[in-house]
Amino acid sequence: MSYLVRHRPVDDPALRLVCFPHAGGGAAFFRDWQGYLEPSVEVVAVRYPGRETRMGEPLIPTMDALSPQIAAELLAETRVPTVLLGHSMGAAVAYECLLRLEAAGADHVTRLCVSGRGLPVPAAVVPPRSDEDLIAAVTSLGGPHVAIWQNQELRELFLPVIRNDFRLIDTYRRREDAPPLRADVMALTGDRDPRVTPLGAQAWSAVTAGAFTSHVFEGDHFYLVPHAERVARLAVERHGA
């Protein structure tokens, strides 16, 4: 099944915004974003295996296995000006996809928006997390679905997805010899995010030969829930939308 979901398809779009969700998240997280933008802008959400309509598909536990598959689908899309936006884990997935797109000669992705995540750096291997550690890590970030961890049936349903995604991001190591991106980079953070400070997000400036900008919003790790419309408009700003 395709990674790319269009909640409301747009004929002959002038601009495409591709959105990568956080660990445990799905394409539905961006369901309303099409309505925040001009009719000529197409919002495409990424749906990872193992959730929503892909619930029966095997989970993918490594970045090296996941990002090439998504990049291949993006390469097959019609070439229109494109912005990639990833939140939390999705920021790292979007970055890796863009590296592959640019390596393949694609030049239509003009901006990468990285939200709620600092620049991935080489680090010590994180030991396996217990169920309690995983749930504590997820609930500490807040977000719209914290209540599911109070429901035993939902907890058992979603815990394998969270475990997989945390393993993926815990074991991911950004290549230090990766070429600089040609696309511009925009870093977006909440001013009370426990995972990344606005200053820490500035480190993303090192990955691009293009322009770098950053924006800080009021809120925690999931600041973009109450600020969704502003974030969507900012992501495509000055791109003819």
Side-chain angles (χ1 to χ4, degrees):
M1 187 176 290
S2 175
Y3 280 90
L4 306 181
V5 177
R6 293 165 169 84
H7 294 298
R8 281 185 276 171
V10 174
D11 293 331
D12 193 23
L15 175 69
R16 182 173 292 129
L17 174 62
V18 183
C19 302
F20 295 72
H22 52 282
F29 187 74
F30 300 101
R31 183 183 302 277
D32 297 329
W33 283 40
Q34 188 75 59
Y36 302 145
L37 302 172
E38 296 296 323
S40 61
V41 180
E42 178 181 61
V43 176
V44 177
V46 174
R47 178 171 288 154
Y48 310 125
R51 63 214 76 197
E52 298 175 343
T53 59
R54 306 186 69 183
M55 188 72 75
E57 297 181 40
L59 296 162
I60 297 181
T62 67
M63 184 71 80
D64 287 343
L66 179 65
S67 56
Q69 295 185 31
I70 303 172
E73 284 202 28
L74 290 172
L75 278 171
E77 290 286 306
T78 55
R79 299 290 177 92
V80 300
T82 298
V83 175
L84 305 186
L85 181 146
H87 179 63
S88 198
M89 181 187 84
V93 181
Y95 167 70
E96 287 293 326
C97 286
L98 184 50
L99 282 175
R100 288 165 170 78
L101 293 174
E102 292 195 347
D107 60 2
H108 61 291
V109 179
T110 57
R111 176 180 289 164
L112 169 67
C113 298
V114 288
S115 166
R117 185 165 189 83
L119 177 66
V121 296
V125 175
V126 178
R129 299 173 187 253
S130 67
D131 290 354
E132 292 72 21
D133 287 344
L134 281 171
I135 293 171
V138 173
T139 55
S140 71
L141 299 177
H145 304 301
V146 170
I148 69 172
W149 303 110
Q150 309 304 318
N151 182 301
Q152 186 63 31
E153 291 184 3
L154 292 176
R155 172 173 166 162
E156 292 176 1
L157 180 65
F158 287 104
L159 196 56
V161 177
I162 288 292
R163 179 174 297 285
N164 175 86
D165 290 357
F166 269 65
R167 182 187 302 117
L168 183 151
I169 207 65
D170 284 345
T171 58
Y172 165 57
R173 299 293 177 263
R174 183 177 64 88
R175 284 174 44 207
E176 292 190 72
D177 63 345
L181 297 172
R182 297 189 295 273
D184 297 342
V185 172
M186 176 185 291
L188 309 168
T189 54
D191 61 2
R192 299 190 306 278
D193 191 328
R195 286 294 182 90
V196 57
T197 65
L199 181 60
Q202 297 285 329
W204 281 101
S205 63
V207 306
T208 182
F212 175 79
T213 54
S214 63
H215 300 270
V216 181
F217 295 80
E218 182 180 356
D220 57 17
H221 188 66
F222 283 94
Y223 74 89
L224 76 172
V225 173
H227 297 293
E229 182 170 0
R230 184 180 165 202
V231 171
R233 290 182 176 275
L234 187 63
V236 302
E237 192 175 62
R238 294 188 298 278
H239 281 66

